[in-house]
Amino acid sequence: MKIVDYKIYAVKPRWIFLKLKTEDGLEGWGEMVSGTRTETVIQGAKEMCERILGANSNEIERIWQRLYRHFFRGGPVSMTVISAIEIALWDIKGKRLGVPIYELLGGKVRDSLKVYSWIGGDRPNDILKEAKTKYESGFSAIKMNGTEELHYIDTYKKVDEVLERVELLRNHFGNDLDIAVDFHGRVHKPMAKVLMEELRPYRLMFIEEPVLPEHNEALENLYQIASMPIATGERLYTRWSFKDIISKGVADIIQPDVILTGGILETRKIAAMAETYDFGVAPHAPYGPIALAATFQVDACTPNVFIQEQSLNIHYNQGNIDLLDFVKNKEIFKYKDGFADVPKLPGLGLELEEDLIYDVSKEPLNWQNPWWKNYDGTIAEW
């Protein structure tokens, strides 16, 4: 049962895969997000994996505690590595016992998973055409980025551009299409107030990340003026980062990311904590196939998950390999009428094309998010 080996693959467009192997020959997969620090994440993964060689792969919580409880802890690099290791260990355990991971976390609470699809890119255009395509393929819910770059105080011309895009969709689909608008942390508190007030008539499914997480104290005031649900949490790690938002009730939906929060069980713990305060959960998952498969395992056994982000054909991957290219059993991510099936195979339920992963990993990976500037040359949030 001991962990005896590991491999790390950095693959386009912006994913890092981890494979752990045990002495009885079982293999488990995890995933890390590179962000803009690919080599840093890889080195962190090597350091932590070396630390757990020889450990009992069944003792997932013990290993998690061992990796997490350092004097300096948290942060995206450390937590994405811990998440990948934890996910790989659950994959191994599920395979060893011959059951999906959710069966080890209480069993499934649902028969299917509702998913939504992205439309538009970071500078949304032609969104009606994209929305029609998604709707005709069965999706009843979409999400779009709301804005381009915004200064602390910006013009009503930019506000009107946001409203025009949302109104275009609402006028065409009526209430048959659920619409979420992602502020992506690009909006500072003064403009968030303006936009949330102006968007009242459009009956949004939710507003996402109205302010950056370092300004979450502003959510308390924004929550008082919001007519739509507020979602946030994709950049937070562990239960302790979510504690204030949940206990203060300053949002309605949390969006933990299974490859940042600390893994599958930590995400389940966060969702359970949120359930006690009547929060919905819409997990963040715009990355690769392992991350999405791990998120599906959480969804299957978590009653307050109401919808799931998914990354098939997402705009970030355009011109690159998409998540299905690495997957042998592509039916796991086959959607029907905007729903995915609950996974049935042991572990994560994934069968991966490791030869292709190896070949792609030979190509350099140095993903960088775009760098935007405001009209006066100051750095804008992406």
Side-chain angles (χ1 to χ4, degrees), residues 31-84:
E31 183 176 333
M32 296 165 274
V33 57
S34 67
T36 57
R37 299 178 179 87
T38 301
E39 291 304 316
T40 306
V41 172
I42 290 172
Q43 291 305 314
K46 289 178 179 178
E47 183 178 2
M48 288 200 195
C49 286
E50 289 291 333
R51 196 171 296 156
I52 64 171
L53 290 177
N56 185 341
S57 64
N58 280 326
E59 296 178 346
I60 300 173
E61 182 69 14
R62 186 198 291 261
I63 291 171
W64 193 97
Q65 295 286 339
R66 180 179 171 187
L67 294 175
Y68 176 74
R69 289 185 181 276
H70 284 262
F71 188 79
F72 298 105
R73 60 185 68 170
V77 174
S78 177
M79 293 313 303
T80 197
V81 174
I82 292 173
S83 299

Side-chain angles (χ1 to χ4, degrees), residues 119-131 142 144-150 157-173 177 179-183 186 195 199 202 204 372:
I119 62 168
D122 293 300
R123 298 177 183 270
N125 55 60
D126 207 12
I127 60 168
L128 181 57
K129 179 180 178 181
E130 290 190 55
I142 58 91
M144 57 184 282
N145 276 315
T147 74
E148 300 178 12
E149 61 270 34
L150 282 181
K157 179 178 183 296
K158 288 188 177 180
V159 173
D160 287 342
E161 288 172 354
V162 177
L163 302 180
E164 287 167 8
R165 289 192 287 267
V166 177
E167 185 174 24
L168 185 67
L169 298 182
R170 187 56 77 214
N171 286 345
H172 182 83
F173 293 101
L177 184 70
I179 303 168
V181 176
D182 189 356
F183 283 12
R186 297 169 183 168
L195 279 167
L199 285 166
Y202 300 106
L204 298 179
W372 288 0

